[in-house]
């Protein structure tokens, strides 16, 4: 892999890539990307029984990178495959601590893995009420399972002095397989180049001015009080392909997932306004 990526990555990045599959690169003056190897937190990785806290010292390395970026006044975007909220508990909690410590440095977190269009929130560890980070979970081009292919474009605060480098907006595009397959079956009108189309733009879909952590925290409150908006999210989460609405225990489980950027954080469900105790317990039973 290091050989294949040598055209794009500097030698220092290739060194840590060879060692543990993680690296960091300065993208622009003032903006650094950190790519994490999320195999080191995967619940399915039985080798982590040997060391589930910080395999290959990746999180320790991340702290050093973030501290150096803080000293230089850089902003950092973290990319990875598995969202931290779906990782092993010990790794997930340590990552959460790091995001709390470097909340002014880490201004973007981008993950995938679920194949769905989702996000997970990070809050301050003292009160669990002040939003300080969002892990964006982008939809997949793959159709697994019963999904349209999709991809995401992020709009980020630009390259200027003192830029926040925060995500301002994003757009999701899909390939409607139902339409594409229908055109393929139409006599004399084969669809050689299926059309990708804009499914939604986040600020427009949810009536937000930006996509800062505080905006997503408010959106969670809207999901609780306005079921119509939540059902729109549920439809967009599945890239425009969903047959059943999500209500009661399903909705509570989903809201717990969105709020919990850390593994095993389901006690927060009890503190969400509008959650009945029975529903919170149902969600906890479902997810644990």
């Amino acid at each position: 892999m290091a050989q294949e990526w040598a055209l794009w990555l500097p030698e220092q990045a290739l060194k840590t890539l060879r060692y543990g599959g993680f690296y960091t690169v300065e993208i622009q003056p003032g903006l650094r990307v950190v790519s994490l190897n999320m195999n080191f937190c995967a619940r399915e990785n039985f080798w982590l029984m040997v060391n589930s806290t910080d395999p290959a010292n990746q999180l320790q390395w991340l702290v050093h990178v973030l501290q150096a970026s803080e000293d230089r006044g850089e902003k950092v975007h973290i990319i990875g495959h598995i969202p931290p909220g779906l990782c092993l508990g010990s790794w997930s909690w340590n990552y959460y601590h790091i995001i709390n410590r470097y909340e002014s440095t880490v201004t973007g977190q981008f993950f995938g893995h679920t194949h769905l269009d989702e996000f997970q929130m990070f809050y301050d560890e003292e009160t669990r009420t002040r939003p300080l980070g969002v892990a964006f979970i982008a939809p997949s081009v793959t159709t697994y399972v019963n999904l349209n292919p999709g991809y995401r474009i992020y709009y980020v605060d630009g390259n200027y002095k003192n830029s926040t480098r925060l995500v301002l907006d994003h757009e999701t595009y899909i390939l409607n397989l139902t339409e594409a397959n229908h055109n393929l079956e139409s006599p004399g009108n084969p669809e050689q180049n299926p059309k990708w189309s804009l499914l939604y733009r986040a600020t427009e879909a949810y009536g937000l001015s930006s996509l800062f952590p505080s905006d997503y925290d408010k959106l969670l409150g809207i999901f609780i009080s306005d079921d119509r908006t939540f059902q729109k999210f549920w439809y967009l989460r599945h890239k425009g392909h969903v047959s059943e609405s999500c209500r009661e225990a399903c909705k509570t489980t989903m809201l717990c997932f969105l709020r919990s950027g850390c593994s095993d954080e389901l006690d927060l469900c009890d503190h969400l306004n509008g959650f009945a105790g029975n529903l919170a317990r149902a969600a906890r039973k479902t997810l644990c």
Side-chain angles (χ1 to χ4, degrees):
M1 187 181 293
Q3 272 189 323
E4 294 295 327
W5 291 5
L7 292 174
W8 303 306
L9 298 180
E11 183 53 41
Q12 184 58 37
L14 293 173
K15 182 179 179 180
T16 56
L17 180 64
R18 291 188 192 97
Y19 171 72
F22 49 85
Y23 63 89
T24 181
V25 175
E26 182 186 53
I27 299 299
Q28 295 174 334
L31 177 62
R32 176 171 296 279
V33 164
V34 170
S35 178
L36 297 179
N37 182 353
M38 306 306 283
N39 289 311
F40 290 137
C41 80
R43 294 174 179 176
E44 299 81 4
N45 185 356
F46 65 86
W47 287 106
L48 297 185
M49 294 177 67
V50 177
N51 175 11
S52 63
T53 303
D54 188 16
N57 298 314
Q58 179 178 220
L59 292 178
Q60 185 63 55
W61 168 84
L62 175 61
V63 169
H64 288 308
V65 170
L66 294 178
Q67 184 59 55
S69 291
E70 181 181 80
D71 294 342
R72 290 191 294 263
E74 290 180 333
K75 300 300 183 184
V76 175
H77 288 176
I78 295 176
I79 62 175
H81 183 73
I82 302 174
L86 295 179
C87 290
L88 283 174
S90 56
W91 196 100
S92 182
W93 276 111
N94 284 328
Y95 180 85
Y96 206 95
H97 295 326
I98 294 170
I99 295 301
N100 262 258
R101 166 60 182 83
Y102 294 99
E103 62 169 293
S104 298
T105 300
V106 179
T107 58
Q109 300 177 71
F110 308 92
F111 299 94
H113 183 62
T114 70
H115 298 252
L116 300 166
D117 187 332
E118 304 173 304
F119 62 90
Q120 287 192 307
M121 294 293 301
F122 288 73
Y123 293 89
D124 73 291
E125 292 183 305
E126 291 184 5
T127 68
R128 297 291 182 182
T129 59
R130 182 175 62 84
L132 55 81
V134 179
F136 294 94
I137 305 173
S140 63
V141 176
T142 56
T143 57
Y144 180 82
V145 56
N146 296 324
L147 299 169
N148 290 314
Y151 68 87
R152 167 77 53 76
I153 295 176
Y154 292 97
Y155 293 85
V156 179
D157 197 8
N159 186 23
Y160 61 90
K161 186 177 180 180
N162 297 324
S163 171
T164 67
R165 306 288 185 170
L166 288 165
V167 175
L168 304 178
D169 208 347
H170 65 65
E171 293 177 341
T172 295
Y173 291 80
I174 64 165
L175 172 60
N176 190 311
L177 291 180
T178 303
E179 293 180 2
N181 289 330
H182 175 74
N183 291 335
L184 279 173
E185 295 167 0
S186 300
N189 185 31
E191 184 65 62
Q192 299 297 332
N193 297 295
K195 302 298 189 296
W196 291 81
S197 59
L198 174 65
L199 179 63
Y200 77 103
R201 184 166 182 145
T203 54
E204 294 177 359
Y206 298 122
L208 303 174
S209 58
S210 61
L211 300 186
F212 298 162
S214 57
D215 295 305
Y216 272 96
D217 182 58
K218 292 176 184 175
L219 185 59
L220 284 177
I222 294 173
F223 285 168
I224 295 171
S225 61
D226 182 2
D227 188 63
R228 187 174 180 178
T229 301
F230 175 79
Q231 298 306 328
K232 176 190 285 189
F233 161 79
W234 186 249
Y235 171 78
L236 298 175
R237 176 179 181 261
H238 292 85
K239 294 179 283 186
H241 183 82
V242 62
S243 57
E244 296 182 3
S245 60
C246 177
R247 305 186 187 280
E248 298 180 347
C250 169
K251 180 176 180 179
T252 302
T253 300
M254 189 70 252
L255 290 171
C256 289
F257 173 87
L258 298 177
R259 186 177 171 87
S260 302
C262 182
S263 212
D264 304 323
E265 202 179 32
L266 297 177
D267 285 342
L268 286 175
C269 293
D270 293 333
H271 303 298
L272 288 174
N273 293 329
F275 276 24
N278 289 337
L279 288 182
R281 283 189 290 275
R284 189 176 296 108
K285 183 177 181 181
T286 303
L287 290 180
C288 290

